[in-house]
């Protein structure tokens, strides 16, 4: 197969979809690997390293888009890339389509095979490619929340760790999955008071056993959420219903319960966000203020730590990418039901149930479309 990797063009997105060691594995398996000039430079990988691994370097993205049978990247195609999309092209990347009807329609119209990192599952029903990015975003969420509490950004002026004689700041984590657990761990490290809410009792129990008195676990109800919000300094939004638009548990009226200058870090913004007032922002312009509350809603948080995030991402994508290149998408999907969960659009149909539900489109089982 001819496999390609283009430079990311999203604002301040410094990750890259492949590292030289993995290019070597594709080339060793008999595939051609095309990569755009300087695609990996910000993540620490030079053109020479890719060339030594067997990649062919191209000055322009268009040659790669046009020649490749599969494109491996990090973030979803942006409008300036839509003209490159064509029937049968496989794109293996993060898509987050439930929050992006326009891109979904383009993928369907052009009959692209969209294999979404974020909906591929494993034996335990977890999301193994989303996981490393969620670990990073969860850890970053506290770093960013603490920063924007500072007065010069419009924050309340609270230091999360407090100081002797003055109470600590409080972090409220909504959603106790991978992002939430990593936010908890980092917030405890910062010395904050930490509360986590979820609808899943066993996840709360695990946090209770692991961190004992360092974390307060609270089952998610409307009443409990209102009580917890009243003295919170940083809210971390880390709720997910896979493939679907994020439930809007934080409504505008809830913001009035927070102290002005508190911060919402809505990590879940890539799937629509768990606050009604959230809208995606960029690393260039990461925050805005609504109802006196700072909203940090960067949808590609790990993009700012490209060395760490590229390496952890590619470790998770490598096996599936090589499998698709080696067997073709149909055989790979028929063999691996977890990879099949990643097929969001195929032959002009929505082929993921959660996505179809969120966008109110018809769901078609991808296997039924395969010869
Ligand atoms: N902004 C970014 O750069 C970035 C990076 C990585 C991940 N994310 C996003 O962060 C979000 C969370 O990812 P994750 O890997 O932690 O997911 P996860 O599946 O591990 O965890 C989600 C948690 O939400 C809980 N939940 C679901 N509905 C709930 C509700 N109504 N109330 C309370 N809890 C509820 C689930 O029980 C689960 O514990 C996703 O949208 C993901 O795409 C964003």
């Amino acid at each position: 197969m001819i496999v390609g990797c283009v430079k990311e063009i999203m604002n301040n997105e410094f990750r890259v979809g492949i590292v030289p060691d993995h290019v070597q594995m594709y080339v060793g398996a008999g595939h051609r690997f095309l990569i755009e000039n300087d695609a990996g430079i910000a993540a620490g990988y030079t053109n020479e390293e890719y060339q030594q691994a067997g990649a062919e370097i191209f000055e322009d993205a268009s040659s790669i888009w046009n020649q490749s049978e599969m494109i491996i990247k990090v973030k979803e195609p942006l409008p300036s890339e839509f003209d490159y999309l064509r029937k049968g092209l496989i794109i293996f990347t993060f898509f987050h389509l439930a929050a992006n009807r326009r891109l979904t329609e383009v993928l369907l119209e052009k009959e692209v095979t969209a294999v979404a990192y974020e909906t591929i599952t494993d034996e335990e029903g977890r999301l193994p490619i989303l996981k490393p990015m969620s670990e990073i975003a969860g850890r970053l969420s506290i770093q960013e929340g603490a920063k924007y509490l500072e007065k010069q950004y419009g924050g309340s002026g609270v230091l999360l760790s407090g100081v002797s004689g003055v109470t600590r700041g409080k972090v409220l984590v909504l959603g106790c999955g991978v992002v939430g657990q990593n936010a908890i761990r980092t917030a405890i490290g910062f010395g904050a008071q930490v509360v986590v809410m979820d609808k899943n009792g066993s996840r709360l129990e695990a946090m209770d056993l692991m961190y004992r008195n360092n974390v307060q676990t609270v089952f998610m109800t409307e009443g409990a959420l209102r009580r917890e919000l009243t003295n919170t300094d940083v809210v971390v939004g880390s709720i997910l219903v896979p493939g679907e638009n994020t439930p809007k548990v934080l409504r505008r009226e809830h913001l009035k319960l927070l102290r002005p200058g508190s911060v919402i870090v809505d990590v879940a913004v890539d799937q629509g966000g768990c606050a009604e007032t959230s809208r995606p922002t960029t690393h260039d312009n990461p925050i805005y203020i609504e109802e006196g509350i700072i909203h940090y809603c960067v949808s590609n948080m790990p993009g700012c730590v490209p060395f760490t995030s590229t390496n952890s991402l590619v470790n998770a994508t490598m096996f599936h990418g090589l499998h698709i290149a080696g067997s073709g998408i149909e055989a790979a999907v028929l063999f691996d039901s977890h990879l099949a969960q990643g097929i969001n659009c195929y032959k002009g149909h929505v082929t993921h149930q959660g996505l179809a539900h969120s966008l109110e489109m018809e769901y078609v089982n991808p296997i039924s479309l395969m010869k």
Side-chain angles (χ1 to χ4, degrees), residues 181-199:
Q181 290 170 23
N182 281 274
I184 291 168
R185 174 186 161 149
T186 309
I188 291 173
F190 266 60
Q193 183 195 342
V194 184
V195 178
V196 58
M197 304 186 75
D198 202 296
K199 289 173 87 170

Side-chain angles (χ1 to χ4, degrees), residues 96 134 137 177-179 198-199 203 240 267 270 298-299 301-302:
H96 297 288
S134 292
V178 182
V179 171
D198 202 296
K199 289 173 87 170
R203 293 215 160 158
L240 173 67
V267 184
D270 54 353
V298 174
S299 53
M301 292 174 69

Side-chain angles (χ1 to χ4, degrees), residues 13 15 75 94 96 118 125-127 130-138 140 173-182 197-201 203-204 219-221 237-242 244 246-249 266-273 283 296-303:
E13 178 52 76
R15 288 173 287 182
K75 292 303 284 180
F94 283 115
H96 297 288
E118 71 276 10
R126 294 173 306 199
L127 306 169
L130 183 61
K131 182 170 172 263
M133 298 303 98
S134 292
E135 288 176 344
I136 292 170
L140 280 172
V173 178
L174 302 178
C176 188
V178 182
V179 171
Q181 290 170 23
N182 281 274
M197 304 186 75
D198 202 296
K199 289 173 87 170
N200 182 328
R203 293 215 160 158
L204 296 178
F219 192 80
M220 173 67 94
T221 63
S238 45
I239 285 174
L240 173 67
V241 179
E244 300 203 17
T246 320
K248 298 275 180 281
V249 298
D266 201 346
V267 184
V269 73
D270 54 353
Q271 283 286 135
H283 285 291
Y296 174 98
C297 299
V298 174
S299 53
N300 63 331
M301 292 174 69

Side-chain angles (χ1 to χ4, degrees), residues 85-361:
L85 307 186
R86 63 176 195 275
K87 185 173 179 173
L89 175 67
I90 303 166
I91 306 182
F92 189 37
T93 194
F94 283 115
F95 278 100
H96 297 288
L97 293 174
N100 197 341
R101 180 179 289 277
R102 179 167 176 227
L103 174 58
T104 309
E105 286 169 352
V106 173
L107 294 168
L108 296 177
E109 185 199 320
K110 302 212 175 194
E111 299 192 29
V112 169
T113 301
V115 188
Y117 290 164
E118 71 276 10
T119 59
I120 291 177
T121 51
D122 66 12
E123 295 72 26
E124 277 87 44
R126 294 173 306 199
L127 306 169
I129 304 186
L130 183 61
K131 182 170 172 263
M133 298 303 98
S134 292
E135 288 176 344
I136 292 170
R139 292 173 192 208
L140 280 172
S141 68
I142 302 304
Q143 200 167 303
E144 298 299 337
K147 180 166 84 189
Y148 289 111
L149 282 176
E150 293 175 20
K151 206 70 198 171
Q152 70 271 25
Y153 298 113
S156 62
V158 168
L159 180 66
L160 277 184
S161 62
V163 72
S164 53
V166 184
T167 48
R168 297 178 292 158
K170 176 177 158 187
V171 171
L172 174 61
V173 178
L174 302 178
C176 188
V178 182
V179 171
Q181 290 170 23
N182 281 274
I184 291 168
R185 174 186 161 149
T186 309
I188 291 173
F190 266 60
Q193 183 195 342
V194 184
V195 178
V196 58
M197 304 186 75
D198 202 296
K199 289 173 87 170
N200 182 328
S202 46
R203 293 215 160 158
L204 296 178
E205 187 186 355
M207 289 299 99
D208 201 49
L209 288 170
M210 189 176 301
Y211 295 114
R212 296 170 183 265
N213 297 334
N214 288 319
V215 66
Q216 176 67 60
T217 60
V218 179
F219 192 80
M220 173 67 94
T221 63
E222 171 67 17
L225 176 63
R226 286 178 164 274
R227 278 191 296 280
E228 291 303 334
L229 283 170
T230 48
N231 54 356
T232 287
D233 297 291
V234 173
V235 181
V236 176
S238 45
I239 285 174
L240 173 67
V241 179
E244 300 203 17
N245 224 313
T246 320
K248 298 275 180 281
V249 298
L250 273 181
R251 296 189 305 281
R252 185 173 288 276
E253 52 168 308
H254 286 131
L255 269 49
K256 299 184 187 355
L257 299 168
L258 289 163
R259 182 179 11 184
S262 301
V263 181
I264 296 175
V265 180
D266 201 346
V267 184
V269 73
D270 54 353
Q271 283 286 135
C274 43
E276 191 177 65
T277 44
S278 290
R279 55 176 188 271
T281 60
T282 62
H283 285 291
D284 265 356
N285 202 2
I287 59 164
Y288 59 90
I289 298 181
E290 279 222 23
E291 304 289 347
I293 304 302
I294 298 181
H295 290 60
Y296 174 98
C297 299
V298 174
S299 53
N300 63 331
M301 292 174 69
C304 69
V305 286
F307 176 77
T308 307
S309 53
T310 291
N311 284 287
S312 61
L313 174 64
V314 298
N315 287 341
T317 58
M318 179 191 66
F319 169 77
H320 290 298
L322 278 168
H323 191 188
I324 297 169
S327 310
I329 190 70
E330 303 203 344
V333 163
L334 290 168
F335 176 82
D336 182 348
S337 60
H338 297 299
L339 178 61
Q341 286 297 315
I343 312 293
N344 280 214
C345 300
Y346 182 62
K347 291 188 174 170
H349 298 276
V350 174
T351 48
H352 186 276
Q353 271 179 316
L355 175 62
H357 179 248
S358 276
L359 296 184
E360 296 179 335
M361 288 177 166

